[in-house]
Amino acid sequence: MAACCRGFTTHVDFDRRVELFRSPTHGGPDLRRRRWRRILFESNRVGFCPITCCCSDSLVPIRRTAGSGKSVEKQEDWRFNPKKSPRRLRIQATPAMPFASPQSRFISKPEKFYPRCTPRGSGPQSRDTPPKRDTGIANEKDWGINLVNENVSESGTNEDGSTWYRESGEDLGDNGYRCRWTRMGGQSHDGYSEWKETWWEKSDWTGYKELGVEKSGRNVEGDSWWETWQEVLHQDEWSNLARIERSAQKQAKSGTENAGWHEKWWEKYDAKGWTEKGAHKYGRLNEQSWWEKWGEHYDGRGSVLKWTDKWAETELGTKWGDKWEDKFFSGIGSRQGETWHVSPSSERWSRTWGEEHFGNGKVHKYGKSTTGESWDIVVDEETYYEAEPHYGWADVVGDSSQLLSIKARERPPGVYPNLDFGSTPSAPTEEEPPQELPPQ
């Protein structure tokens, strides 16, 4: 099968099982639009000036924080008034972002989407569960991967005419390559709704191990989703240290309007404390689109880099965004950022700000905006930043018991692995998120 081809790489995605979004047939297109608007952009009712959003729901501004690496942003209300005094000491450190990062809310009606299997339990249950947004990379225990030990090929029909199938097998290849996989799926009697799911584990004589899942589905309204999740253990090519890499990718798309979202997440760890984390996100709701990118990098010796870049736009020409970056080592470092917006008539407003931390309790703060405000001062202020990730090597090892327990094929005496790390699948690199959702 395709998922177990030699060298197959998946920009993986995960998520805990969630409730199914399905619009009642009596609700009409207006009700479906409102529910997709909640799925894509629902937020706390926080105002934002001076931009007027085209969505019916207000959007949540997002502000950076120098706290724990678990989340590089937090929600905080912030309103800008250009008529106020141009010298404000703390305003440059509070760039806002007027778009939401909510979690989707699906209405669970699985019995209508795809009936469960017969009471005899002769086949797999329906996996009618679209992924949630903004939930990161799940631990393997949340996936419940349970591969069948023997080869299986079976299928069946339920009482309502819906069908299901389940297959499993093992693929072998060069250099001790082994892939165990299980694939299952089903569809309604009319074929309008369906689901597919594949699990796999891989290994070879180099010590490479991989655990992964891919899921997809579609309901009768044409709403579709896809997600994949992957966890990898291998030896770093340059340092020879053990590394664990986790990644996830997921998307959902409305079948009734121009709405959908796409996310890519990745995490990389090594045994000396080097850690890298990041995400790219994109969403659209009819006339409005938004993007978000963020990253964290810890070198394991006290050096930290964190950054975020978010922006949004409407078809009317309104654009707005916010970005910031932190660089620190042993209490010495800098912070800088920019908040901006562009009106439909191409009028641009922006505020840039920066901080230099000298490690002696003194902080140089400076900034300016297009409205004429500016500041350049030195203050006594304690510098705070996280020198280590909140979730590091010890944590990921503790949460990867199923990955570590994958059994490789026994290597014959005198046979040595081909250490071709260049062909080893890896987590996604930092690339631009898609402008449009990939086709199903």
Side-chain angles (χ1 to χ4, degrees):
M1 62 174 267
C4 285
C5 293
R6 181 67 168 166
F8 170 79
T9 60
T10 318
H11 296 305
V12 262
D13 182 77
F14 86 95
D15 204 358
R16 288 177 303 214
R17 302 184 60 184
V18 299
E19 296 176 340
L20 170 67
F21 165 77
R22 175 190 169 104
S23 300
T25 55
H26 61 273
D30 292 338
L31 177 58
R32 289 197 293 270
R33 275 194 294 272
R34 289 197 297 271
R35 287 186 174 171
W36 264 95
R37 185 169 286 110
R38 289 201 302 270
I39 289 173
L40 294 166
F41 289 94
E42 184 146 10
S43 65
N44 296 329
R45 304 273 176 183
V46 180
F48 176 79
C49 295
I51 297 300
T52 301
C53 176
C54 293
C55 293
S56 60
D57 292 338
S58 299
L59 299 179
V60 179
I62 299 178
R63 165 187 172 173
R64 70 159 180 88
T65 177
S68 171
K70 183 174 183 180
S71 175
V72 296
E73 70 271 338
K74 68 179 181 179
Q75 296 178 352
E76 181 167 321
D77 187 9
W78 176 76
R79 294 173 171 82
F80 167 66
N81 188 345
K83 296 182 180 179
K84 291 186 178 181
S85 171
R87 290 185 62 87
R88 295 187 62 183
L89 178 61
R90 296 301 299 171
I91 196 169
Q92 78 277 11
T94 58
M97 188 59 205
F99 52 77
S101 291
Q103 294 190 11
S104 51
R105 299 181 181 180
F106 293 98
I107 300 176
S108 178
K109 297 208 179 278
E111 70 282 359
K112 292 185 178 180
F113 168 74
Y114 180 68
R116 299 297 178 179
C117 298
T118 60
R120 297 189 300 273
S122 58
Q125 291 186 334
S126 168
R127 312 287 183 168
D128 48 7
T129 52
K132 284 184 178 179
R133 279 182 48 206
D134 291 331
T135 41
I137 304 175
N139 293 326
E140 58 184 33
K141 63 182 180 180
D142 297 318
W143 277 104
I145 300 175
N146 184 17
L147 296 169
V148 181
N149 291 324
E150 67 278 354
N151 292 343
V152 172
S153 180
E154 56 186 1
S155 61
T157 302
N158 296 313
E159 295 178 357
D160 65 344
S162 58
T163 59
W164 60 268
Y165 67 88
R166 178 167 52 198
E167 303 169 340
S168 66
E170 180 179 84
D171 299 335
L172 303 178
D174 298 335
N175 206 28
Y177 173 80
R178 181 192 189 194
C179 174
R180 296 176 58 227
W181 54 269
T182 296
R183 179 173 56 194
M184 64 189 73
Q187 64 177 210
S188 60
H189 71 283
D190 55 14
Y192 286 116
S193 57
E194 64 177 351
W195 62 276
K196 299 177 182 178
E197 185 168 334
T198 302
W199 305 341
W200 68 86
E201 64 175 38
K202 302 178 184 179
S203 62
D204 63 22
W205 290 338
T206 68
Y208 178 87
K209 297 183 179 182
E210 177 184 322
L211 196 64
V213 174
E214 182 174 359
K215 301 180 180 181
S216 62
R218 184 184 70 244
N219 64 19
V220 295
E221 283 83 16
D223 306 324
S224 59
W225 55 90
W226 170 83
E227 59 177 329
T228 180
W229 169 91
Q230 179 177 302
E231 190 174 50
V232 170
L233 168 68
H234 67 98
Q235 187 178 24
D236 184 75
E237 179 180 2
W238 305 109
S239 65
N240 292 324
L241 291 172
R243 293 186 67 173
I244 292 179
E245 301 182 4
R246 305 194 309 177
S247 53
Q249 191 172 184
K250 49 190 170 179
Q251 69 181 46
K253 190 173 183 180
S254 170
T256 57
E257 58 184 342
N258 187 13
W261 55 270
H262 178 264
E263 293 182 357
K264 181 189 300 180
W265 302 71
W266 63 91
E267 300 175 357
K268 304 178 182 181
Y269 309 85
D270 77 11
K272 282 289 187 71
W274 178 91
T275 303
E276 178 184 318
K277 303 180 181 182
H280 287 169
K281 307 177 186 179
Y282 163 75
R284 182 176 180 87
L285 178 59
N286 296 322
E287 70 279 355
Q288 178 168 304
S289 301
W290 60 265
W291 296 260
E292 178 180 354
K293 299 165 63 176
W294 64 263
E296 300 179 1
H297 182 233
Y298 305 81
D299 71 350
R301 299 184 297 271
S303 179
V304 180
L305 167 65
K306 295 183 180 182
W307 62 273
T308 295
D309 190 4
K310 311 173 185 180
W311 67 101
E313 64 181 31
T314 71
E315 292 181 352
L316 298 177
T318 303
K319 301 179 182 179
W320 61 100
D322 175 55
K323 58 184 177 181
W324 59 263
E325 179 185 82
D326 286 4
K327 291 182 179 179
F328 279 94
F329 178 74
S330 297
I332 301 174
S334 64
R335 295 187 172 114
Q336 57 185 358
E338 179 185 14
T339 302
W340 59 272
H341 69 77
V342 179
S343 70
S345 59
S346 299
E347 296 179 357
R348 180 180 177 86
W349 170 87
S350 69
R351 173 187 287 119
T352 57
W353 58 271
E355 299 178 0
E356 295 178 296
H357 295 251
F358 303 113
N360 58 1
K362 301 289 185 180
V363 180
H364 175 213
K365 299 188 176 185
Y366 57 92
K368 61 181 180 179
S369 77
T370 53
T371 57
E373 62 180 333
S374 65
W375 59 94
D376 192 335
I377 59 176
V378 177
V379 299
D380 294 320
E381 184 174 288
E382 180 182 356
T383 296
Y384 174 76
Y385 70 102
E386 292 286 350
E388 297 180 358
H390 79 283
Y391 186 94
W393 174 255
D395 302 293
V396 73
V397 168
D399 287 335
S400 302
S401 58
Q402 189 169 357
L403 173 71
L404 300 177
S405 65
I406 294 176
K407 295 182 179 179
R409 294 166 60 192
E410 184 176 352
R411 189 168 70 224
V415 175
Y416 298 94
N418 176 20
L419 301 178
D420 182 12
F421 292 104
S423 62
T424 300
S426 61
T429 56
E430 293 186 14
E431 59 187 33
E432 288 294 329
Q435 297 297 308
E436 297 295 339
L437 294 175
Q440 290 293 319

